[in-house]
Amino acid sequence: MEVLKVASNSNPNKVAGALAGMIRESGKAELQAIGAGAVNQAVKAIAIARGYLAPSGVDLVSIPAFTDVEIDKETRTALKFIVFPRN
């Protein structure tokens, strides 16, 4: 599964569009964010994507989890959001 990496300066509307596209295409998606600003943008994007998909009868669920990522040979803790439609 492709991971959408969200930064503090990411446009939540664009991330939401990409997220909605991934949900339509493969039925699930994963967002990854490091830092408070990035997490804020990721949560906003999930809420916006939920609004994009609601008219077609798709209700999104998000499961947050911690994950370790390596950036410049340094391990950082990121939040990942696994997003998929509610059955």
Side-chain angles (χ1 to χ4, degrees):
M1 172 174 24
E2 184 181 342
V3 177
L4 291 174
K5 295 181 181 175
V6 182
S8 60
N9 61 351
S10 293
N11 181 330
N13 290 307
K14 289 183 180 180
V15 175
L19 176 59
M22 287 179 73
I23 295 294
R24 286 184 184 114
E25 187 177 301
S26 63
K28 61 183 176 180
E30 183 178 324
L31 278 76
Q32 197 175 81
I34 299 173
V39 170
N40 179 49
Q41 298 303 78
V43 171
K44 284 196 269 187
I46 293 167
I48 294 166
R50 191 167 181 236
Y52 289 165
L53 294 169
S56 60
V58 177
D59 187 22
L60 293 182
V61 175
S62 175
I63 299 175
F66 289 106
T67 187
D68 290 328
V69 294
E70 189 171 320
I71 299 173
D72 297 330
K73 298 182 182 180
E74 184 179 321
T75 302
R76 306 264 321 256
T77 301
L79 265 171
K80 70 178 177 179
F81 297 91
I82 301 164
V83 184
F84 55 92
R86 182 186 310 261
N87 290 338

PDB file of all heavy atoms in Angstrom, residues 25-65:
ATOM      1  N   GLU A  25      -9.801   3.674  -5.365  1.00  0.00           N
ATOM      2  CA  GLU A  25      -9.015   2.765  -6.197  1.00  0.00           C
ATOM      3  C   GLU A  25      -8.714   1.441  -5.503  1.00  0.00           C
ATOM      4  O   GLU A  25      -8.922   0.375  -6.075  1.00  0.00           O
ATOM      5  CB  GLU A  25      -7.701   3.450  -6.583  1.00  0.00           C
ATOM      6  CG  GLU A  25      -6.871   2.689  -7.579  1.00  0.00           C
ATOM      7  CD  GLU A  25      -5.629   3.465  -7.975  1.00  0.00           C
ATOM      8  OE1 GLU A  25      -5.797   4.588  -8.491  1.00  0.00           O
ATOM      9  OE2 GLU A  25      -4.515   2.959  -7.738  1.00  0.00           O
ATOM     10  N   SER A  26      -8.216   1.502  -4.272  1.00  0.00           N
ATOM     11  CA  SER A  26      -7.770   0.263  -3.622  1.00  0.00           C
ATOM     12  C   SER A  26      -8.524  -0.095  -2.348  1.00  0.00           C
ATOM     13  O   SER A  26      -8.255  -1.128  -1.745  1.00  0.00           O
ATOM     14  CB  SER A  26      -6.268   0.343  -3.322  1.00  0.00           C
ATOM     15  OG  SER A  26      -5.996   1.385  -2.415  1.00  0.00           O
ATOM     16  N   GLY A  27      -9.434   0.771  -1.909  1.00  0.00           N
ATOM     17  CA  GLY A  27     -10.247   0.433  -0.745  1.00  0.00           C
ATOM     18  C   GLY A  27      -9.625   0.748   0.603  1.00  0.00           C
ATOM     19  O   GLY A  27     -10.270   0.601   1.627  1.00  0.00           O
ATOM     20  N   LYS A  28      -8.373   1.208   0.610  1.00  0.00           N
ATOM     21  CA  LYS A  28      -7.736   1.600   1.870  1.00  0.00           C
ATOM     22  C   LYS A  28      -6.563   2.513   1.573  1.00  0.00           C
ATOM     23  O   LYS A  28      -6.091   2.591   0.443  1.00  0.00           O
ATOM     24  CB  LYS A  28      -7.288   0.390   2.681  1.00  0.00           C
ATOM     25  CG  LYS A  28      -6.262  -0.480   1.979  1.00  0.00           C
ATOM     26  CD  LYS A  28      -5.918  -1.701   2.808  1.00  0.00           C
ATOM     27  CE  LYS A  28      -4.955  -2.591   2.024  1.00  0.00           C
ATOM     28  NZ  LYS A  28      -4.583  -3.781   2.771  1.00  0.00           N
ATOM     29  N   ALA A  29      -6.096   3.203   2.621  1.00  0.00           N
ATOM     30  CA  ALA A  29      -4.970   4.114   2.449  1.00  0.00           C
ATOM     31  C   ALA A  29      -4.252   4.276   3.776  1.00  0.00           C
ATOM     32  O   ALA A  29      -4.804   3.967   4.844  1.00  0.00           O
ATOM     33  CB  ALA A  29      -5.450   5.473   1.949  1.00  0.00           C
ATOM     34  N   GLU A  30      -3.029   4.759   3.710  1.00  0.00           N
ATOM     35  CA  GLU A  30      -2.253   5.045   4.917  1.00  0.00           C
ATOM     36  C   GLU A  30      -1.631   6.431   4.791  1.00  0.00           C
ATOM     37  O   GLU A  30      -1.031   6.751   3.772  1.00  0.00           O
ATOM     38  CB  GLU A  30      -1.159   3.995   5.116  1.00  0.00           C
ATOM     39  CG  GLU A  30      -0.363   4.198   6.386  1.00  0.00           C
ATOM     40  CD  GLU A  30       0.685   3.117   6.608  1.00  0.00           C
ATOM     41  OE1 GLU A  30       0.422   1.952   6.276  1.00  0.00           O
ATOM     42  OE2 GLU A  30       1.771   3.463   7.101  1.00  0.00           O
ATOM     43  N   LEU A  31      -1.813   7.231   5.831  1.00  0.00           N
ATOM     44  CA  LEU A  31      -1.180   8.539   5.919  1.00  0.00           C
ATOM     45  C   LEU A  31      -0.114   8.462   6.997  1.00  0.00           C
ATOM     46  O   LEU A  31      -0.293   7.760   7.997  1.00  0.00           O
ATOM     47  CB  LEU A  31      -2.190   9.624   6.302  1.00  0.00           C
ATOM     48  CG  LEU A  31      -3.063  10.211   5.212  1.00  0.00           C
ATOM     49  CD1 LEU A  31      -4.145   9.237   4.847  1.00  0.00           C
ATOM     50  CD2 LEU A  31      -3.667  11.499   5.673  1.00  0.00           C
ATOM     51  N   GLN A  32       0.962   9.220   6.817  1.00  0.00           N
ATOM     52  CA  GLN A  32       2.049   9.233   7.797  1.00  0.00           C
ATOM     53  C   GLN A  32       2.408  10.681   8.098  1.00  0.00           C
ATOM     54  O   GLN A  32       2.547  11.490   7.175  1.00  0.00           O
ATOM     55  CB  GLN A  32       3.243   8.495   7.208  1.00  0.00           C
ATOM     56  CG  GLN A  32       4.279   8.072   8.201  1.00  0.00           C
ATOM     57  CD  GLN A  32       5.335   7.236   7.503  1.00  0.00           C
ATOM     58  OE1 GLN A  32       6.226   7.789   6.885  1.00  0.00           O
ATOM     59  NE2 GLN A  32       5.215   5.933   7.584  1.00  0.00           N
ATOM     60  N   ALA A  33       2.518  11.016   9.386  1.00  0.00           N
ATOM     61  CA  ALA A  33       2.803  12.391   9.781  1.00  0.00           C
ATOM     62  C   ALA A  33       3.768  12.404  10.958  1.00  0.00           C
ATOM     63  O   ALA A  33       3.648  11.606  11.878  1.00  0.00           O
ATOM     64  CB  ALA A  33       1.506  13.100  10.173  1.00  0.00           C
ATOM     65  N   ILE A  34       4.713  13.346  10.915  1.00  0.00           N
ATOM     66  CA  ILE A  34       5.670  13.521  12.001  1.00  0.00           C
ATOM     67  C   ILE A  34       5.532  14.947  12.506  1.00  0.00           C
ATOM     68  O   ILE A  34       5.710  15.903  11.754  1.00  0.00           O
ATOM     69  CB  ILE A  34       7.116  13.265  11.535  1.00  0.00           C
ATOM     70  CG1 ILE A  34       7.265  11.831  11.029  1.00  0.00           C
ATOM     71  CG2 ILE A  34       8.100  13.555  12.656  1.00  0.00           C
ATOM     72  CD1 ILE A  34       8.611  11.539  10.401  1.00  0.00           C
ATOM     73  N   GLY A  35       5.200  15.098  13.773  1.00  0.00           N
ATOM     74  CA  GLY A  35       5.068  16.422  14.375  1.00  0.00           C
ATOM     75  C   GLY A  35       3.622  16.866  14.472  1.00  0.00           C
ATOM     76  O   GLY A  35       2.747  16.414  13.732  1.00  0.00           O
ATOM     77  N   ALA A  36       3.385  17.779  15.395  1.00  0.00           N
ATOM     78  CA  ALA A  36       2.029  18.237  15.673  1.00  0.00           C
ATOM     79  C   ALA A  36       1.364  18.892  14.475  1.00  0.00           C
ATOM     80  O   ALA A  36       0.186  18.647  14.193  1.00  0.00           O
ATOM     81  CB  ALA A  36       2.047  19.204  16.854  1.00  0.00           C
ATOM     82  N   GLY A  37       2.088  19.734  13.751  1.00  0.00           N
ATOM     83  CA  GLY A  37       1.523  20.413  12.589  1.00  0.00           C
ATOM     84  C   GLY A  37       1.125  19.439  11.499  1.00  0.00           C
ATOM     85  O   GLY A  37       0.061  19.577  10.880  1.00  0.00           O
ATOM     86  N   ALA A  38       1.952  18.440  11.264  1.00  0.00           N
ATOM     87  CA  ALA A  38       1.662  17.443  10.239  1.00  0.00           C
ATOM     88  C   ALA A  38       0.474  16.575  10.645  1.00  0.00           C
ATOM     89  O   ALA A  38      -0.379  16.248   9.811  1.00  0.00           O
ATOM     90  CB  ALA A  38       2.893  16.577   9.987  1.00  0.00           C
ATOM     91  N   VAL A  39       0.399  16.222  11.915  1.00  0.00           N
ATOM     92  CA  VAL A  39      -0.738  15.435  12.404  1.00  0.00           C
ATOM     93  C   VAL A  39      -2.025  16.237  12.250  1.00  0.00           C
ATOM     94  O   VAL A  39      -3.063  15.711  11.836  1.00  0.00           O
ATOM     95  CB  VAL A  39      -0.513  14.989  13.867  1.00  0.00           C
ATOM     96  CG1 VAL A  39      -1.783  14.400  14.461  1.00  0.00           C
ATOM     97  CG2 VAL A  39       0.635  13.994  13.948  1.00  0.00           C
ATOM     98  N   ASN A  40      -1.975  17.526  12.554  1.00  0.00           N
ATOM     99  CA  ASN A  40      -3.131  18.399  12.394  1.00  0.00           C
ATOM    100  C   ASN A  40      -3.619  18.389  10.938  1.00  0.00           C
ATOM    101  O   ASN A  40      -4.810  18.240  10.674  1.00  0.00           O
ATOM    102  CB  ASN A  40      -2.769  19.815  12.831  1.00  0.00           C
ATOM    103  CG  ASN A  40      -3.912  20.788  12.685  1.00  0.00           C
ATOM    104  OD1 ASN A  40      -5.022  20.526  13.117  1.00  0.00           O
ATOM    105  ND2 ASN A  40      -3.637  21.934  12.077  1.00  0.00           N
ATOM    106  N   GLN A  41      -2.709  18.535   9.991  1.00  0.00           N
ATOM    107  CA  GLN A  41      -3.080  18.550   8.578  1.00  0.00           C
ATOM    108  C   GLN A  41      -3.638  17.192   8.144  1.00  0.00           C
ATOM    109  O   GLN A  41      -4.573  17.123   7.345  1.00  0.00           O
ATOM    110  CB  GLN A  41      -1.893  18.938   7.702  1.00  0.00           C
ATOM    111  CG  GLN A  41      -1.344  20.332   7.973  1.00  0.00           C
ATOM    112  CD  GLN A  41      -2.369  21.429   7.821  1.00  0.00           C
ATOM    113  OE1 GLN A  41      -3.199  21.658   8.681  1.00  0.00           O
ATOM    114  NE2 GLN A  41      -2.308  22.106   6.700  1.00  0.00           N
ATOM    115  N   ALA A  42      -3.073  16.112   8.661  1.00  0.00           N
ATOM    116  CA  ALA A  42      -3.542  14.771   8.307  1.00  0.00           C
ATOM    117  C   ALA A  42      -4.968  14.545   8.796  1.00  0.00           C
ATOM    118  O   ALA A  42      -5.813  14.018   8.061  1.00  0.00           O
ATOM    119  CB  ALA A  42      -2.604  13.711   8.881  1.00  0.00           C
ATOM    120  N   VAL A  43      -5.256  14.955  10.029  1.00  0.00           N
ATOM    121  CA  VAL A  43      -6.600  14.777  10.579  1.00  0.00           C
ATOM    122  C   VAL A  43      -7.607  15.622   9.794  1.00  0.00           C
ATOM    123  O   VAL A  43      -8.712  15.161   9.486  1.00  0.00           O
ATOM    124  CB  VAL A  43      -6.623  15.107  12.090  1.00  0.00           C
ATOM    125  CG1 VAL A  43      -8.037  15.151  12.623  1.00  0.00           C
ATOM    126  CG2 VAL A  43      -5.792  14.092  12.859  1.00  0.00           C
ATOM    127  N   LYS A  44      -7.222  16.845   9.451  1.00  0.00           N
ATOM    128  CA  LYS A  44      -8.105  17.682   8.638  1.00  0.00           C
ATOM    129  C   LYS A  44      -8.360  17.024   7.282  1.00  0.00           C
ATOM    130  O   LYS A  44      -9.497  17.014   6.799  1.00  0.00           O
ATOM    131  CB  LYS A  44      -7.504  19.078   8.431  1.00  0.00           C
ATOM    132  CG  LYS A  44      -7.629  19.966   9.650  1.00  0.00           C
ATOM    133  CD  LYS A  44      -7.379  21.416   9.287  1.00  0.00           C
ATOM    134  CE  LYS A  44      -5.931  21.774   9.450  1.00  0.00           C
ATOM    135  NZ  LYS A  44      -5.671  23.217   9.267  1.00  0.00           N
ATOM    136  N   ALA A  45      -7.334  16.461   6.680  1.00  0.00           N
ATOM    137  CA  ALA A  45      -7.479  15.814   5.372  1.00  0.00           C
ATOM    138  C   ALA A  45      -8.420  14.617   5.451  1.00  0.00           C
ATOM    139  O   ALA A  45      -9.238  14.401   4.545  1.00  0.00           O
ATOM    140  CB  ALA A  45      -6.109  15.374   4.844  1.00  0.00           C
ATOM    141  N   ILE A  46      -8.344  13.849   6.523  1.00  0.00           N
ATOM    142  CA  ILE A  46      -9.247  12.696   6.692  1.00  0.00           C
ATOM    143  C   ILE A  46     -10.691  13.179   6.793  1.00  0.00           C
ATOM    144  O   ILE A  46     -11.597  12.620   6.167  1.00  0.00           O
ATOM    145  CB  ILE A  46      -8.840  11.855   7.916  1.00  0.00           C
ATOM    146  CG1 ILE A  46      -7.481  11.188   7.671  1.00  0.00           C
ATOM    147  CG2 ILE A  46      -9.905  10.806   8.229  1.00  0.00           C
ATOM    148  CD1 ILE A  46      -6.842  10.584   8.912  1.00  0.00           C
ATOM    149  N   ALA A  47     -10.916  14.245   7.567  1.00  0.00           N
ATOM    150  CA  ALA A  47     -12.270  14.790   7.702  1.00  0.00           C
ATOM    151  C   ALA A  47     -12.799  15.308   6.367  1.00  0.00           C
ATOM    152  O   ALA A  47     -13.966  15.081   6.014  1.00  0.00           O
ATOM    153  CB  ALA A  47     -12.274  15.901   8.751  1.00  0.00           C
ATOM    154  N   ILE A  48     -11.958  15.975   5.605  1.00  0.00           N
ATOM    155  CA  ILE A  48     -12.365  16.506   4.301  1.00  0.00           C
ATOM    156  C   ILE A  48     -12.655  15.359   3.333  1.00  0.00           C
ATOM    157  O   ILE A  48     -13.655  15.377   2.607  1.00  0.00           O
ATOM    158  CB  ILE A  48     -11.299  17.468   3.741  1.00  0.00           C
ATOM    159  CG1 ILE A  48     -11.201  18.720   4.627  1.00  0.00           C
ATOM    160  CG2 ILE A  48     -11.601  17.853   2.299  1.00  0.00           C
ATOM    161  CD1 ILE A  48      -9.961  19.568   4.371  1.00  0.00           C
ATOM    162  N   ALA A  49     -11.800  14.346   3.321  1.00  0.00           N
ATOM    163  CA  ALA A  49     -11.999  13.194   2.439  1.00  0.00           C
ATOM    164  C   ALA A  49     -13.297  12.472   2.782  1.00  0.00           C
ATOM    165  O   ALA A  49     -14.010  11.989   1.889  1.00  0.00           O
ATOM    166  CB  ALA A  49     -10.822  12.235   2.540  1.00  0.00           C
ATOM    167  N   ARG A  50     -13.610  12.428   4.055  1.00  0.00           N
ATOM    168  CA  ARG A  50     -14.872  11.815   4.479  1.00  0.00           C
ATOM    169  C   ARG A  50     -16.047  12.558   3.850  1.00  0.00           C
ATOM    170  O   ARG A  50     -17.014  11.952   3.391  1.00  0.00           O
ATOM    171  CB  ARG A  50     -14.960  11.846   6.001  1.00  0.00           C
ATOM    172  CG  ARG A  50     -16.069  11.032   6.551  1.00  0.00           C
ATOM    173  CD  ARG A  50     -15.907  10.851   8.057  1.00  0.00           C
ATOM    174  NE  ARG A  50     -17.007  10.029   8.516  1.00  0.00           N
ATOM    175  CZ  ARG A  50     -17.838  10.397   9.469  1.00  0.00           C
ATOM    176  NH1 ARG A  50     -17.685  11.548  10.082  1.00  0.00           N
ATOM    177  NH2 ARG A  50     -18.821   9.601   9.821  1.00  0.00           N
ATOM    178  N   GLY A  51     -15.960  13.877   3.799  1.00  0.00           N
ATOM    179  CA  GLY A  51     -16.989  14.675   3.150  1.00  0.00           C
ATOM    180  C   GLY A  51     -17.045  14.452   1.648  1.00  0.00           C
ATOM    181  O   GLY A  51     -18.121  14.469   1.050  1.00  0.00           O
ATOM    182  N   TYR A  52     -15.885  14.231   1.018  1.00  0.00           N
ATOM    183  CA  TYR A  52     -15.842  13.962  -0.416  1.00  0.00           C
ATOM    184  C   TYR A  52     -16.534  12.632  -0.748  1.00  0.00           C
ATOM    185  O   TYR A  52     -17.182  12.501  -1.773  1.00  0.00           O
ATOM    186  CB  TYR A  52     -14.405  13.880  -0.929  1.00  0.00           C
ATOM    187  CG  TYR A  52     -13.642  15.182  -0.994  1.00  0.00           C
ATOM    188  CD1 TYR A  52     -12.259  15.168  -1.148  1.00  0.00           C
ATOM    189  CD2 TYR A  52     -14.266  16.418  -0.919  1.00  0.00           C
ATOM    190  CE1 TYR A  52     -11.521  16.349  -1.221  1.00  0.00           C
ATOM    191  CE2 TYR A  52     -13.541  17.600  -0.991  1.00  0.00           C
ATOM    192  CZ  TYR A  52     -12.178  17.553  -1.135  1.00  0.00           C
ATOM    193  OH  TYR A  52     -11.459  18.718  -1.208  1.00  0.00           O
ATOM    194  N   LEU A  53     -16.349  11.624   0.116  1.00  0.00           N
ATOM    195  CA  LEU A  53     -16.836  10.280  -0.178  1.00  0.00           C
ATOM    196  C   LEU A  53     -18.256  10.021   0.327  1.00  0.00           C
ATOM    197  O   LEU A  53     -18.920   9.092  -0.142  1.00  0.00           O
ATOM    198  CB  LEU A  53     -15.881   9.241   0.413  1.00  0.00           C
ATOM    199  CG  LEU A  53     -14.487   9.220  -0.212  1.00  0.00           C
ATOM    200  CD1 LEU A  53     -13.543   8.352   0.599  1.00  0.00           C
ATOM    201  CD2 LEU A  53     -14.549   8.741  -1.647  1.00  0.00           C
ATOM    202  N   ALA A  54     -18.739  10.815   1.263  1.00  0.00           N
ATOM    203  CA  ALA A  54     -20.060  10.598   1.863  1.00  0.00           C
ATOM    204  C   ALA A  54     -21.202  10.590   0.841  1.00  0.00           C
ATOM    205  O   ALA A  54     -22.091   9.737   0.940  1.00  0.00           O
ATOM    206  CB  ALA A  54     -20.319  11.632   2.955  1.00  0.00           C
ATOM    207  N   PRO A  55     -21.213  11.493  -0.149  1.00  0.00           N
ATOM    208  CA  PRO A  55     -22.324  11.480  -1.114  1.00  0.00           C
ATOM    209  C   PRO A  55     -22.453  10.166  -1.901  1.00  0.00           C
ATOM    210  O   PRO A  55     -23.529   9.819  -2.360  1.00  0.00           O
ATOM    211  CB  PRO A  55     -22.006  12.636  -2.061  1.00  0.00           C
ATOM    212  CG  PRO A  55     -21.161  13.553  -1.257  1.00  0.00           C
ATOM    213  CD  PRO A  55     -20.353  12.654  -0.362  1.00  0.00           C
ATOM    214  N   SER A  56     -21.357   9.425  -2.021  1.00  0.00           N
ATOM    215  CA  SER A  56     -21.418   8.137  -2.719  1.00  0.00           C
ATOM    216  C   SER A  56     -21.656   6.975  -1.758  1.00  0.00           C
ATOM    217  O   SER A  56     -21.512   5.810  -2.135  1.00  0.00           O
ATOM    218  CB  SER A  56     -20.148   7.910  -3.543  1.00  0.00           C
ATOM    219  OG  SER A  56     -19.008   7.918  -2.710  1.00  0.00           O
ATOM    220  N   GLY A  57     -22.001   7.289  -0.509  1.00  0.00           N
ATOM    221  CA  GLY A  57     -22.343   6.252   0.465  1.00  0.00           C
ATOM    222  C   GLY A  57     -21.165   5.620   1.169  1.00  0.00           C
ATOM    223  O   GLY A  57     -21.307   4.588   1.817  1.00  0.00           O
ATOM    224  N   VAL A  58     -19.994   6.226   1.082  1.00  0.00           N
ATOM    225  CA  VAL A  58     -18.796   5.681   1.732  1.00  0.00           C
ATOM    226  C   VAL A  58     -18.530   6.464   3.013  1.00  0.00           C
ATOM    227  O   VAL A  58     -18.410   7.685   2.990  1.00  0.00           O
ATOM    228  CB  VAL A  58     -17.562   5.764   0.796  1.00  0.00           C
ATOM    229  CG1 VAL A  58     -16.318   5.257   1.497  1.00  0.00           C
ATOM    230  CG2 VAL A  58     -17.812   5.003  -0.482  1.00  0.00           C
ATOM    231  N   ASP A  59     -18.459   5.750   4.139  1.00  0.00           N
ATOM    232  CA  ASP A  59     -18.145   6.359   5.430  1.00  0.00           C
ATOM    233  C   ASP A  59     -16.760   5.868   5.846  1.00  0.00           C
ATOM    234  O   ASP A  59     -16.514   4.663   5.884  1.00  0.00           O
ATOM    235  CB  ASP A  59     -19.190   5.961   6.468  1.00  0.00           C
ATOM    236  CG  ASP A  59     -19.008   6.708   7.784  1.00  0.00           C
ATOM    237  OD1 ASP A  59     -18.385   7.785   7.790  1.00  0.00           O
ATOM    238  OD2 ASP A  59     -19.504   6.203   8.809  1.00  0.00           O
ATOM    239  N   LEU A  60     -15.855   6.792   6.125  1.00  0.00           N
ATOM    240  CA  LEU A  60     -14.472   6.414   6.431  1.00  0.00           C
ATOM    241  C   LEU A  60     -14.247   6.155   7.909  1.00  0.00           C
ATOM    242  O   LEU A  60     -14.853   6.791   8.769  1.00  0.00           O
ATOM    243  CB  LEU A  60     -13.509   7.519   5.986  1.00  0.00           C
ATOM    244  CG  LEU A  60     -13.387   7.751   4.495  1.00  0.00           C
ATOM    245  CD1 LEU A  60     -12.356   8.837   4.227  1.00  0.00           C
ATOM    246  CD2 LEU A  60     -13.013   6.482   3.774  1.00  0.00           C
ATOM    247  N   VAL A  61     -13.334   5.229   8.178  1.00  0.00           N
ATOM    248  CA  VAL A  61     -12.855   4.917   9.516  1.00  0.00           C
ATOM    249  C   VAL A  61     -11.347   5.109   9.500  1.00  0.00           C
ATOM    250  O   VAL A  61     -10.682   4.760   8.521  1.00  0.00           O
ATOM    251  CB  VAL A  61     -13.189   3.458   9.894  1.00  0.00           C
ATOM    252  CG1 VAL A  61     -12.594   3.094  11.234  1.00  0.00           C
ATOM    253  CG2 VAL A  61     -14.684   3.233   9.894  1.00  0.00           C
ATOM    254  N   SER A  62     -10.807   5.651  10.578  1.00  0.00           N
ATOM    255  CA  SER A  62      -9.358   5.859  10.675  1.00  0.00           C
ATOM    256  C   SER A  62      -8.835   5.234  11.962  1.00  0.00           C
ATOM    257  O   SER A  62      -9.401   5.446  13.034  1.00  0.00           O
ATOM    258  CB  SER A  62      -9.048   7.353  10.659  1.00  0.00           C
ATOM    259  OG  SER A  62      -7.677   7.561  10.864  1.00  0.00           O
ATOM    260  N   ILE A  63      -7.757   4.498  11.832  1.00  0.00           N
ATOM    261  CA  ILE A  63      -7.107   3.897  12.992  1.00  0.00           C
ATOM    262  C   ILE A  63      -5.717   4.505  13.117  1.00  0.00           C
ATOM    263  O   ILE A  63      -4.868   4.316  12.240  1.00  0.00           O
ATOM    264  CB  ILE A  63      -6.997   2.370  12.843  1.00  0.00           C
ATOM    265  CG1 ILE A  63      -8.386   1.759  12.723  1.00  0.00           C
ATOM    266  CG2 ILE A  63      -6.232   1.772  14.017  1.00  0.00           C
ATOM    267  CD1 ILE A  63      -8.380   0.277  12.459  1.00  0.00           C
ATOM    268  N   PRO A  64      -5.468   5.268  14.201  1.00  0.00           N
ATOM    269  CA  PRO A  64      -4.128   5.835  14.395  1.00  0.00           C
ATOM    270  C   PRO A  64      -3.196   4.827  15.072  1.00  0.00           C
ATOM    271  O   PRO A  64      -3.634   3.996  15.859  1.00  0.00           O
ATOM    272  CB  PRO A  64      -4.392   7.038  15.312  1.00  0.00           C
ATOM    273  CG  PRO A  64      -5.620   6.659  16.074  1.00  0.00           C
ATOM    274  CD  PRO A  64      -6.427   5.758  15.178  1.00  0.00           C
ATOM    275  N   ALA A  65      -1.924   4.905  14.736  1.00  0.00           N
ATOM    276  CA  ALA A  65      -0.909   4.040  15.337  1.00  0.00           C
ATOM    277  C   ALA A  65       0.444   4.730  15.243  1.00  0.00           C
ATOM    278  O   ALA A  65       0.641   5.616  14.417  1.00  0.00           O
ATOM    279  CB  ALA A  65      -0.862   2.696  14.622  1.00  0.00           C
TER     280      ALA A  65
END
